[in-house]
């Protein structure tokens, strides 16, 4: 009986030691630092469409390396709120720019990070993008990301807002640059 | 007649998938370049992909044991993620992997490193975690190929070359031959491939022809 009790204590002790080791080891933890993003600037404009870009930093501030399996943007511009444009939003890794909208799984060592370039293209349903964007509203964009690390995969998201004011400001700056 | 020199010739292909047969692909892309004195080498991860030996993390159910054991693998290892560990357990058996881990830890205590990979089974060493290969397979774990010797034999038989190998080569100056046709020296072939002529990024050159290997080998042996 005493032998059994000693064995149980040893097993319990080993389990606690492993649990403490895992808890102390921690895991990857990702965050897209939306409040440190750059302003959107006008990248390209035609009669019908305008493209804006901003850079959003991210960090793995956990204690383990982690993989950003997938990262994609989701914009929120319901037709009930604003119906003058079609909207396309995509992102790519700043350090390995891709134009196909594909996110290549990317290992991020702990305590490091990077940045993504967020590209938003508005296409006017009327054919004149400057006219269409006059009454544009603030548009939230979620950056949704899937993480694989030590623990089972999970999906998280951080939200930023592309404001109507910065769209107008970027359009104006683009117009001034074109005049010069 | 001038003697032809040994040379490595990478062969570009399109992205290969589990719909492809690797021997058909080699015939399609490289047949004109392969001579009777050449050795055809093919990247093991691409062979595995064409065999369908891939799995997405979302398709695996990590066990409690996998969640614990992956914590004892250094971060750079493919088995350090819970899915890499679960994939190894699915391939080699949970008990075998757990026992290998236990003995591996004991081995380290007495200065014997690498025991885990020796005991856990071939797949434990061959599994590539996500990001291990080019898109669209960057989001998959890739197992080692099945029957690499058989694959090498099939290549030689179809292409009429001097020999064929299935090789595991990376940019860290590590090369190993997993499958080989009789008469070839795996260590020598691995040395020839050490600079990774396959490329591990998006080079899309999973086939490398070792030109004139047969005649060079015959010269070396004085035949």
């Amino acid at each position: 009986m005493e032998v059994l009790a000693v064995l149980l204590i040893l097993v319990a002790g080993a389990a606690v030691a492993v649990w403490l080791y895992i808890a102390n080891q921690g895991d990857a933890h990702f965050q897209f630092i939306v409040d440190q993003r750059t302003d959107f600037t006008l990248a390209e404009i035609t009669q019908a469409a305008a493209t804006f870009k901003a850079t959003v930093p991210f960090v793995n501030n956990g204690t383990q390396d982690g993989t950003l399996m997938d990262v994609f943007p989701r914009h929120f511009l319901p037709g009930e709120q604003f119906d003058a444009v079609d909207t396309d939003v995509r992102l790519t890794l700043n350090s390995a720019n891709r134009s196909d909208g594909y996110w290549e799984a990317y290992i991020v060592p702990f305590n490091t990070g990077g940045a993504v370039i967020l590209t938003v293209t508005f296409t006017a349903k009327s054919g004149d993008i400057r006219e269409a964007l006059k009454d544009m509203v603030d548009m939230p964009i979620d950056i949704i990301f899937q993480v694989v690390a030590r623990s089972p995969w999970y999906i998280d998201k951080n939200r930023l807002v592309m404001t109507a004011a910065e769209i107008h400001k970027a359009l104006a700056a683009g117009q001034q640059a074109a005049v010069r | 007649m001038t003697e032809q020199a040994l040379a490595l010739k990478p062969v570009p292909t399109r992205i290969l998938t589990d719909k492809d047969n690797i021997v058909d692909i080699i015939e399609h892309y490289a047949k004109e370049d392969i001579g009777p004195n050449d050795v055809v080498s093919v990247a093991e991860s691409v062979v595995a992909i064409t065999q369908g030996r891939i799995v997405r993390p979302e398709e695996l159910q990590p066990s409690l044991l996998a969640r614990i054991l992956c914590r004892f693998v250094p971060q750079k290892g493919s088995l350090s993620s819970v899915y890499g560990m679960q994939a190894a357990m699915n391939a080699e058996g949970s008990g075998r992997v757990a026992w290998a881990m236990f003995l591996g830890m004991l081995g380290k205590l007495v200065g014997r490193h690498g025991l885990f990979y020796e005991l856990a089974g071939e797949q434990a060493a061959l599994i590539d975690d996500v990001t291990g290969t080019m898109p669209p397979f960057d989001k998959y774990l890739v197992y080692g190929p099945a029957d690499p010797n058989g694959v090498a034999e099939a290549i030689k038989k179809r292409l009429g070359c001097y020999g064929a190998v299935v090789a595991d080569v990376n940019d860290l100056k590590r090369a190993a031959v997993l499958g080989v046709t009789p008469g070839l020296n795996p260590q020598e072939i691995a040395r020839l491939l050490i600079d990774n002529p396959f490329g591990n990024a998006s080079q899309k050159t999973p086939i490398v022809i070792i030109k004139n290997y047969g005649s060079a080998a015959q010269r070396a042996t004085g035949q």
Side-chain angles (χ1 to χ4, degrees):
Chain A
M1 197 65 183
E2 280 180 12
V3 173
L4 191 61
V6 169
L7 273 176
L8 280 174
I9 289 168
L10 283 175
V11 169
V16 168
V18 169
W19 181 79
L20 283 173
Y21 171 74
I22 290 173
N24 185 55
Q25 196 182 44
D27 209 344
H29 179 260
F30 286 92
Q31 185 188 7
F32 280 77
I33 313 167
V34 292
D35 55 0
Q36 290 180 18
R37 73 169 173 89
T38 65
D39 288 339
F40 278 95
T41 56
L42 185 65
E44 189 181 351
I45 189 162
T46 64
Q47 175 72 16
T51 298
F52 302 86
K53 289 181 188 285
T55 301
V56 186
F58 64 83
V59 65
N60 172 7
N61 55 16
T63 55
Q64 299 286 298
D65 296 357
T67 300
L68 283 169
M69 278 282 286
D70 201 4
V71 185
F72 54 95
R74 176 83 173 95
H75 68 276
F76 296 89
L77 189 63
E80 291 89 339
Q81 188 180 13
F82 189 72
D83 196 27
V85 295
D86 285 322
T87 307
D88 177 75
V89 182
R90 57 177 59 183
L91 58 73
T92 186
L93 191 64
N94 194 14
S95 59
N97 207 336
R98 299 181 66 109
S99 59
D100 55 5
Y102 187 87
W103 177 270
E104 193 171 343
Y106 181 60
I107 298 171
V108 185
F110 69 97
N111 270 336
T112 68
V116 294
I117 300 170
L118 192 59
T119 303
V120 181
T121 299
F122 296 114
T123 305
K125 291 181 179 173
S126 68
D128 185 339
I129 190 61
R130 288 186 182 279
E131 189 63 29
L133 286 175
K134 271 186 179 165
D135 296 322
M136 178 63 184
V137 297
D138 291 354
M139 183 177 76
I141 301 171
D142 280 352
I143 297 178
I144 302 167
F145 50 99
Q146 183 190 15
V147 175
V148 168
R150 294 281 194 181
S151 48
W153 68 269
Y154 64 89
I155 286 177
D156 202 351
K157 54 187 168 183
N158 295 126
R159 174 168 289 196
L160 58 90
V161 178
M162 182 185 195
T163 67
E166 70 182 310
I167 292 170
H168 294 142
K169 188 177 165 188
L171 278 173
Q175 199 160 22
Q176 284 172 3
V179 168
R180 285 198 297 271
Chain B
M1 196 172 93
T2 56
E3 289 183 349
Q4 291 179 305
L6 201 67
L8 301 181
K9 181 170 186 183
V11 178
T13 69
R14 60 172 167 75
I15 290 282
L16 306 182
T17 73
D18 58 347
K19 308 290 184 203
D20 291 307
N21 176 293
I22 192 65
V23 184
D24 292 344
I25 289 294
I26 293 170
E27 186 172 37
H28 178 79
Y29 283 97
K31 186 180 181 184
E32 303 304 317
D33 294 327
I34 297 171
N37 276 317
D38 299 342
V39 169
V40 175
S41 59
V42 59
E44 62 93 19
S45 61
V46 175
V47 173
I49 287 168
T50 60
Q51 292 173 333
R53 294 177 60 76
I54 53 177
V55 63
R56 294 176 65 224
E58 295 88 340
E59 294 165 352
L60 294 171
Q61 291 294 326
S63 62
L64 177 63
L65 192 58
R67 294 181 194 207
I68 293 170
L69 293 189
C70 76
R71 297 279 180 169
F72 293 92
V73 178
Q75 297 203 68
K76 303 299 177 199
S78 285
L79 306 195
S80 68
S81 88
V82 65
Y83 297 103
M85 182 58 75
Q86 187 61 52
M89 288 178 159
N90 289 353
E92 300 289 356
S94 299
R96 180 177 185 177
V97 173
W99 182 238
M101 179 69 77
F102 178 67
L103 292 180
M105 288 176 181
L106 292 181
K108 279 185 181 174
L109 290 177
V110 295
R112 173 86 156 77
H113 293 271
L115 201 53
F116 169 70
Y117 287 102
E118 286 177 33
L119 301 174
E122 190 181 43
Q123 291 297 324
L126 291 179
I127 285 169
D128 282 329
D129 199 4
V130 292
T131 77
T133 188
M134 71 177 72
F137 299 105
D138 57 314
K139 299 179 197 306
Y140 287 79
L141 296 111
V142 181
Y143 292 95
D147 189 21
N149 285 327
V151 172
E153 289 276 12
I155 295 168
K156 179 178 176 178
K157 189 175 175 190
R158 177 87 68 89
L159 279 303
C161 49
Y162 185 81
V165 299
V166 177
D168 179 12
V169 185
N170 66 25
D171 288 336
L172 305 174
K173 298 280 182 190
R174 193 176 68 86
V177 168
L178 307 181
V180 62
T181 50
L184 294 182
N185 180 339
Q187 285 77 27
E188 189 176 74
I189 301 282
R191 275 196 300 276
L192 290 172
L193 298 173
I194 196 74
D195 289 327
N196 193 12
F198 299 103
N200 271 16
S202 297
Q203 287 87 346
K204 289 192 273 188
T205 53
I207 306 158
V208 173
I209 306 168
I210 306 174
K211 297 292 296 177
N212 308 311
Y213 181 91
S215 44
Q218 283 163 4
R219 281 198 302 274
T221 55
Q223 292 173 346

